[in-house]
């Protein structure tokens, strides 16, 4: 494990509004294997940015959020991860922010981050396929799309365990 003062890979997420965070945390607590559930529910935008980008990333996240309204977003669907289940989030505005950041860091992205982006919140992962299929069926029953609040953007150091906050940037109300 990396020492706390040493740079580490950076994860970037969209921050959910309080009510939506509580909803997704509840879903994750109910369905994620407890021995693997070490994080709050999250909407990952980048999985692994180089630590050397920290200063520039912070500036870019400030520019994308300060004085800007929250991007419109909606909880659009429930989908299978094969061995898990996630909620799809649709937001053209959040996708545009991610595309600008990806373009700025294009040569430094991992294959996972350079590929297509599918905004989602995982509520179950690393379970048997039959269990994932059963949850998918249960969650789809009665599912209704609805708005989701994207309150801000955050960057975290990834040191092999729970994430360590690097910076947090809120959209205007």
């Amino acid at each position: 494990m990396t020492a706390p003062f040493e740079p580490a890979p950076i994860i970037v997420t969209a921050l959910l509004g309080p009510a939506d965070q509580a909803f997704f945390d509840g879903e994750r607590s109910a369905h994620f294997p407890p021995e693997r559930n070490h994080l709050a529910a999250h909407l990952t935008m980048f999985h692994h940015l180089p630590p050397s980008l920290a200063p520039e990333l912070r500036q870019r996240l400030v520019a994308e959020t300060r004085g800007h309204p929250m991007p419109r977003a909606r909880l659009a669907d429930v989908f299978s991860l094969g061995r898990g289940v996630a909620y799809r989030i649709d937001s053209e505005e959040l996708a545009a922010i991610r595309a600008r950041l990806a373009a700025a860091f294009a040569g430094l992205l991992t294959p996972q981050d350079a590929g297509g982006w599918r905004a989602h919140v995982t509520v179950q992962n690393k379970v048997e396929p039959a269990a994932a299929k059963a949850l998918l069926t249960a969650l789809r029953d009665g599912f209704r799309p609805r708005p989701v609040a994207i309150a801000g953007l955050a960057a975290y150091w990834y040191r092999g365990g729970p994430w360590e906050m690097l910076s947090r940037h809120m959209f205007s109300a």
Side-chain angles (χ1 to χ4, degrees), residues 6-116:
E6 291 181 27
I10 300 169
I11 297 168
V12 177
T13 69
L15 297 170
L16 301 162
D20 293 311
Q21 186 68 53
F23 168 76
F24 290 121
D25 282 343
E27 291 289 279
R28 194 171 167 96
S29 292
H31 305 297
F32 212 92
E35 68 278 4
R36 298 181 186 275
N37 193 13
H38 305 294
L39 297 170
H42 51 279
L43 195 168
T44 304
M45 296 175 70
F46 293 95
H47 296 87
H48 188 288
L49 294 177
S52 61
L53 292 181
E56 182 181 353
L57 176 63
R58 184 174 291 165
Q59 291 173 348
R60 289 184 181 277
L61 295 179
V62 166
E64 292 288 356
T65 56
R66 186 174 291 160
H68 295 280
M70 293 189 306
R72 289 182 302 262
R74 71 190 264 277
L75 179 60
D77 198 7
V78 183
F79 69 95
S80 172
L81 298 172
R83 296 178 62 91
V85 176
Y87 285 101
R88 190 180 85 225
I89 308 296
D90 284 350
S91 174
E92 289 181 19
E93 294 165 2
L94 187 61
I97 292 169
R98 190 200 183 274
R100 287 190 294 272
L101 294 170
F105 302 133
L108 302 170
L109 299 178
T110 64
Q112 181 180 21
D113 286 334

